[in-house]
Amino acid sequence: MSSLLLPQIPSTDTSAYCQARARLPEKLLEKLFNDSARNLENKVTQEHLWCGRKVLVIDGSTVSMPDTKENQKEYPQTSSQKKGCGFPIAKIGVIFSLVTGAAIALCIDVMNTHDIKLARNLYSFLKPNDVLLGDRAFCAYADMFAITKLDCDAVFRKHQSRTTTMRKGKIVGDCDKLVTWYKPTRCPKGLSKDEFDALPPSITVREIYYYIVIPGFRSQRVSLITTLLDKTSYPTLEIVGLYYKRWDVELDLRHLKTTLGMDILRCKTPSMVRKEIHVYLLAYNLLRSLMWQAGNTYNTPPLRLSLQGTRHHLIHFIPKLEIAGSRKRNRLYRTLLKVIVHKEVPDRPARTEPRTKKRRPKAYPLMTKPRHELRKQLQTA
């Protein structure tokens, strides 16, 4: 009888949690991520748009994961590393909204996948009248045509393989001209013969070039290629200012990988790795939704709010929100929104910092042999 009165000690075995997590369908998490992005984008009004257009920013990055046989088979490590000395790495392509900062679309592939291949898998998420913003990796003849065929437009930095000359093209303004691009003579990698044959013999694009004189900036001359040909509707300075905002995508990826911790994943199978990535993006979008709600409620630009600060405030409020009734929960939620906008991140244009690291690494050498070989060396030393 006395044994029945003893308190039950909770089990420390996490297998039930892991099994339940594994049963979650991958498509379900992908759908939840897409729904979170769609719900936030539906809140964007005309006043938030750039020249009446919705702007999306595209970029690629990598994430690492535990060194298991399943992960190595699906997402192998770099060929420059010896077997057993590296970690499986996946390449991700993400499209972000320039207005809300939310992640709109995701593509996952092996590490040696070129950014432009990821982009071609993401074009299906574009909607008519969207403007796609990206760096020079995405500036290709076939892609400029594919984007315009979707009734969208593109603003990319000019690829380094294309030479810049002032003798060709129709001048439409200062440092602004219309040029004709001709179809490549050979089919580029990543295109099938049918896709290559479907390309037109030439396309007209707009080239804008300008100089950067800010100390610390690596680029001194920038050439932009865009399909926005109307200089009246899309002035030169508006496009230059738009490309300057492309840096926001680097900050968004840093939030995902550093602030939220997606840089080093924990799951040991490829399926769970993909689920983990979708959950990170879902959590990121929910934070962006909270920032959007707080900013618009208290007349503060949502992108000037701190995502890390929003995360910390939400974590502190969750225990109270869980036990509160409906009326008190509403008051707590309004208080949470007010706390989030209490201290906005200052706008510091053209801010530069030296590209150096202050924190010293540990004095351990890098692993150049598998762990079992190193153990043998220790035993025979």
Side-chain angles (χ1 to χ4, degrees):
M1 186 68 180
S2 59
S3 62
L4 297 177
L5 299 178
L6 293 176
Q8 294 293 324
I9 300 176
S11 174
T12 58
D13 187 5
T14 60
S15 63
Y17 165 75
C18 295
Q19 293 171 26
R21 189 177 62 170
R23 286 195 297 268
L24 281 173
E26 187 176 332
K27 290 295 183 181
L28 172 62
L29 296 176
E30 184 178 351
K31 180 181 183 300
L32 291 174
F33 156 62
N34 292 330
D35 289 345
S36 67
R38 189 182 309 109
N39 292 337
L40 182 52
E41 287 301 294
N42 290 337
K43 298 177 182 178
V44 177
T45 58
Q46 190 70 22
E47 60 181 313
H48 299 110
L49 303 181
W50 175 83
C51 294
R53 307 282 294 273
K54 183 181 292 185
V55 180
L56 304 177
V57 195
I58 188 171
D59 205 358
S61 188
T62 58
V63 291
S64 67
M65 61 197 75
D67 189 12
T68 63
K69 291 182 179 180
E70 296 89 345
N71 287 343
Q72 283 283 10
K73 183 178 180 181
E74 189 86 9
Y75 304 108
Q77 66 185 48
T78 59
S79 57
S80 60
Q81 290 179 319
K82 293 183 179 179
K83 186 177 179 180
C85 299
F87 292 93
I89 299 179
K91 187 76 171 284
I92 61 172
V94 191
I95 292 181
F96 293 90
S97 169
L98 189 66
V99 176
T100 65
I104 304 298
L106 168 72
C107 181
I108 307 173
D109 211 323
V110 297
M111 183 186 174
N112 60 358
T113 305
H114 195 279
D115 286 352
I116 207 166
K117 181 181 178 182
L118 295 175
R120 288 166 183 166
N121 293 328
L122 294 172
Y123 291 157
S124 59
F125 291 91
L126 297 178
K127 297 180 180 179
N129 210 40
D130 284 348
V131 177
L132 188 62
L133 185 63
D135 62 15
R136 63 179 62 180
F138 307 99
C139 188
Y141 183 95
D143 294 76
M144 303 296 282
F145 172 71
I147 292 171
T148 55
K149 196 174 180 180
L150 295 171
D151 293 328
C152 299
D153 285 291
V155 179
F156 296 146
R157 188 174 175 186
K158 189 176 183 179
H159 196 272
Q160 63 270 19
S161 63
R162 287 187 176 270
T163 57
T164 301
T165 175
M166 285 298 300
R167 295 193 299 270
K168 296 181 179 180
K170 177 183 177 182
I171 304 296
V172 295
D174 294 336
C175 304
D176 197 339
K177 60 182 180 179
L178 299 179
V179 296
T180 301
W181 281 9
Y182 295 97
K183 180 178 177 179
T185 56
R186 292 184 296 180
C187 180
K189 293 182 179 179
L191 285 183
S192 65
K193 187 177 184 304
D194 292 338
E195 292 172 332
F196 179 70
D197 293 339
L199 295 177
S202 65
I203 58 174
T204 300
V205 296
R206 183 177 171 191
E207 181 175 355
I208 300 171
Y209 54 95
Y210 57 95
Y211 293 89
I212 299 177
V213 292
I214 302 173
F217 275 57
R218 289 182 298 174
S219 301
Q220 296 181 346
R221 173 169 171 155
V222 177
S223 294
L224 303 180
I225 300 296
T226 178
T227 56
L228 299 169
L229 306 183
D230 189 353
K231 187 177 183 296
T232 303
S233 301
Y234 311 102
T236 306
L237 291 180
E238 286 289 339
I239 296 179
V240 171
L242 177 64
Y243 188 77
Y244 180 77
K245 295 179 181 178
R246 193 208 68 84
W247 182 252
D248 289 353
V249 73
E250 306 289 347
L251 302 180
D252 295 336
L253 286 170
R254 188 184 69 177
H255 284 317
L256 272 170
K257 297 178 63 176
T258 303
T259 304
L260 299 185
M262 196 182 77
D263 189 22
I264 301 177
L265 303 175
R266 299 166 57 187
C267 293
K268 298 182 179 181
T269 61
S271 175
M272 291 302 298
V273 162
R274 292 189 290 270
K275 292 179 186 180
E276 189 176 1
I277 293 174
H278 280 105
V279 169
Y280 270 113
L281 291 172
L282 174 60
Y284 171 82
N285 281 352
L286 294 178
L287 288 174
R288 284 294 185 185
S289 300
L290 193 57
M291 294 164 64
W292 182 266
Q293 182 70 28
N296 284 278
T297 301
Y298 293 99
N299 298 318
T300 303
L303 294 182
R304 295 264 62 84
L305 302 179
S306 169
L307 187 135
Q308 179 71 301
T310 301
R311 173 174 168 263
H312 286 163
H313 294 317
L314 176 61
I315 291 174
H316 293 154
F317 270 74
I318 283 177
K320 296 181 180 179
L321 289 169
E322 287 178 338
I323 63 175
S326 58
R327 293 182 61 182
K328 186 177 180 181
R329 188 181 296 118
N330 289 333
R331 291 198 302 270
L332 285 171
Y333 182 71
R334 299 283 294 188
T335 304
L336 172 60
L337 297 182
K338 196 168 185 178
V339 171
I340 289 173
V341 301
H342 176 67
K343 188 176 181 181
E344 62 180 281
V345 179
D347 186 15
R348 295 170 287 193
R351 179 190 180 194
T352 57
E353 294 288 345
R355 300 178 68 87
T356 57
K357 293 191 297 184
K358 181 178 179 180
R359 191 171 298 279
R360 270 59 174 173
K362 300 295 183 181
Y364 298 113
L366 294 176
M367 181 184 287
T368 57
K369 296 180 181 179
R371 193 173 297 275
H372 67 275
E373 293 184 12
L374 294 175
R375 288 198 191 99
K376 289 183 180 179
Q377 286 186 0
L378 291 175
Q379 294 171 359
T380 58

